[in-house]
Amino acid sequence: MALTDTPQANRLHIAFYGRMNVGKSSLINLLTDQPTALVSNTAGTTTDPVIKSMEIFPLGPVALIDTAGFDDTGELGNLRVTKTKELLKKTDLAILVVSPENIDNLAIEKEWIKRFNTLKIPYLLVLNKCYHSTDSEDRAIEFLTRNLGNVVVKISALNKLNKIKLLQEIIKIAPQDFEASVLSSDLYSSGDYVVLVVPQDIQAPKGRLILPQVQVIRDILDNGATPLLTKPENLESLLSNLKTQPQLVITDSQMFDFCEKILPKNMPLTSFSVIFSRAKGDFETFIKGAKTIPNLKPSDKILIAEACTHAPLDEDIGRVKIPRMLKNKLGIIKFDIATGLTFPQNLNDYALIIHCGGCMFTRRQLMSRISEAKEASVSITNYGLAIAEILGILDRATKPFHINTLD
């Protein structure tokens, strides 16, 4: 990804579903005007999801996802179908592609529409391989509408028929709230100073800032405030040289304790992780989850969940620091780690799930995990809120959001 690209997690995810060889890959190539997805007359050409980023006006940046056919068979085929099902958790809008030869038996399509409806995913039906405007194709459209009950776009990826119509329907049904509209702009006013405490330790990527820091900086600039970046060791010097008190201090969560001791009690303080817990997830649910931490028992098991995958680092915040803090405070020693798309199907073994900020996830992905936790009656929170609670400053860390967590 280029430095100027919109992060994939901030793009509207449009996934193409359907049987093998209905033309999902060809449709993506049609929309992108590029040979993005491998196309072949051989059924089952697409084995793993293929993602292509593009812009669709006025939606903005989107990610088009090509999936394996959901009627694939055999041992490998079943694994591909499982991957396709997993993609539902990150799908903001689904395109269900049907071929004319399949309209006499739509049982499997109906099953997938039930999945879309259960997960509240808006979807669009596409009848592909319509090479001529014929009565039989019109009857197929009528049949699909009657049996699947949705708008149907007749298209030919080969002849580029109705490409504009497909884009118009995508724009029409696209969800407008796939990402939270507010990241940090309601925490300060135009013209304010916002201090960002950015440690450059072994966990910091070489030569660049991490994604949450970059996104918050851009958000501050877009909203007319002035971001002031500093390493922790220079924080006191920066504050003493400012003629105007900053409206807000945002820190890396692992520096909460350091900043809380330095900053005046009346100076608003929060963290990048706490900001993302609201933008990506369910803020109130996360806060409630954090408040369960004092009631944990030494025998309880905790799930640490990370949206990205990376090689374990010394003093890793999720795998080392948070477990150590919980062990020192409550004696808890049982932890499981889930990374990337991996997430346990059975959550009942856990007393609490502590999730990362989710900057690499879409909001739908993170909300899906929150829903799974709720269904299992398991509390869930995120790194920043958990650390704030352990340190006894949860109320201060959430006060800039006009939320008082004290009962």
Side-chain angles (χ1 to χ4, degrees):
M1 185 182 77
L3 291 177
T4 55
D5 285 348
T6 299
Q8 193 181 109
N10 288 5
R11 292 176 178 268
L12 180 79
H13 282 56
I14 305 173
F16 289 70
Y17 296 94
R19 304 186 194 212
M20 294 185 292
N21 213 28
V22 295
K24 301 184 295 295
S25 303
S26 298
L27 283 176
I28 290 178
N29 291 345
L30 173 66
L31 292 178
T32 61
D33 286 320
Q34 297 176 10
T36 298
L38 183 62
V39 175
S40 169
N41 289 327
T42 303
T45 301
T46 302
T47 55
D48 290 313
V50 176
I51 300 178
K52 173 62 179 178
S53 297
M54 67 175 292
E55 300 272 338
I56 296 179
F57 180 82
L59 297 181
V62 303
L64 304 182
I65 309 175
D66 190 12
T67 68
F70 51 45
D71 59 336
D72 210 340
T73 58
E75 185 176 350
L76 286 177
N78 290 335
L79 291 175
R80 293 167 188 157
V81 173
T82 297
K83 278 193 173 183
T84 298
K85 289 179 180 177
E86 289 175 350
L87 279 170
L88 288 169
K89 295 178 181 179
K90 67 189 301 183
T91 299
D92 298 303
L93 189 156
I95 308 293
L96 180 57
V97 186
V98 182
S99 182
E101 60 261 28
N102 301 133
I103 64 171
D104 291 332
N105 182 7
L106 299 173
I108 191 169
E109 283 79 9
K110 289 180 180 179
E111 289 179 9
W112 278 79
I113 286 175
K114 287 181 180 178
R115 292 188 175 100
F116 298 154
N117 288 332
T118 298
L119 296 172
K120 298 180 180 179
I121 300 172
Y123 67 94
L124 181 66
L125 296 174
V126 171
L127 180 64
N128 193 23
K129 303 184 181 181
C130 294
Y131 305 121
H132 307 285
S133 181
T134 63
D135 290 341
S136 61
E137 289 175 359
D138 291 338
R139 287 195 298 272
I141 294 286
E142 181 183 352
F143 182 83
L144 286 171
T145 303
R146 185 171 66 251
N147 282 271
L148 300 182
N150 207 335
V151 175
V152 182
V153 178
K154 184 172 69 172
I155 199 166
S156 168
L158 180 64
N159 296 334
K160 300 184 178 181
L161 171 69
N162 278 348
K163 173 183 175 181
I164 300 301
K165 173 66 173 175
L166 177 58
L167 286 170
Q168 289 173 340
E169 293 298 332
I170 287 174
I171 293 167
K172 189 183 298 183
I173 70 169
Q176 300 301 309
D177 60 347
F178 75 99
E179 285 292 308
S181 58
V182 176
L183 187 61
S184 67
S185 60
D186 59 333
L187 307 181
Y188 47 79
S189 300
S190 178
D192 285 340
Y193 289 120
V194 180
V195 172
L196 309 176
V197 182
V198 183
Q200 298 301 293
D201 54 19
I202 190 173
Q203 296 186 65
K206 186 177 181 180
R208 61 183 176 86
L209 299 175
I210 62 174
L211 184 58
Q213 295 166 353
V214 173
Q215 290 180 303
V216 171
I217 291 169
R218 176 58 191 264
D219 195 50
I220 293 169
L221 292 172
D222 285 347
N223 288 284
T226 301
L228 302 173
L229 275 69
T230 182
K231 295 192 291 185
E233 55 267 34
N234 297 329
L235 176 59
E236 285 187 280
S237 175
L238 172 64
L239 294 174
S240 64
N241 285 296
L242 286 178
K243 295 181 179 179
T244 303
Q245 178 173 302
Q247 176 62 30
L248 177 67
V249 176
I250 306 172
T251 181
D252 190 290
S253 296
Q254 61 186 320
M255 301 307 299
F256 255 146
D257 196 28
F258 175 88
C259 293
E260 208 274 333
K261 292 175 180 176
I262 289 178
L263 300 179
K265 296 300 181 183
N266 65 339
M267 188 174 292
L269 170 67
T270 192
S271 78
F272 297 101
S273 183
V274 173
I275 286 173
F276 272 82
S277 72
R278 179 181 66 160
K280 292 281 187 178
D282 182 334
F283 202 31
E284 291 186 3
T285 295
F286 276 153
I287 291 173
K288 289 178 181 177
K291 292 173 69 175
T292 67
I293 289 176
N295 300 321
L296 294 173
K297 302 183 294 294
S299 59
D300 286 333
K301 185 190 291 188
I302 310 299
L303 176 65
I304 305 291
E306 298 177 339
C308 61
T309 54
H310 63 266
L313 302 170
D314 292 339
E315 294 302 294
D316 188 279
I317 187 170
R319 307 183 194 204
V320 178
K321 289 188 176 180
I322 291 178
R324 183 171 60 212
M325 294 171 75
L326 286 170
K327 182 180 179 181
N328 291 340
K329 188 175 183 69
L330 302 170
I332 297 173
I333 59 174
K334 296 180 181 179
F335 297 91
D336 285 343
I337 308 293
T339 61
L341 296 178
T342 303
F343 201 60
Q345 291 187 347
N346 181 16
L347 298 176
N348 298 108
D349 293 339
Y350 302 104
L352 178 66
I353 301 167
I354 304 178
H355 208 288
C356 70
C359 65
M360 301 302 292
F361 269 9
T362 66
R363 188 168 189 269
R364 177 175 286 276
Q365 281 177 287
L366 191 52
M367 290 300 293
S368 174
R369 291 193 168 180
I370 294 171
S371 295
E372 290 180 50
K374 286 183 175 179
E375 288 177 10
S377 299
V378 177
S379 297
I380 184 169
T381 189
N382 90 330
Y383 284 7
L385 293 167
I387 292 174
E389 172 60 40
I390 294 169
L391 295 174
I393 60 169
L394 181 61
D395 186 56
R396 183 174 187 181
T398 55
K399 193 171 183 179
F401 302 87
H402 309 294
I403 292 178
N404 192 311
T405 65
L406 296 179
D407 291 326

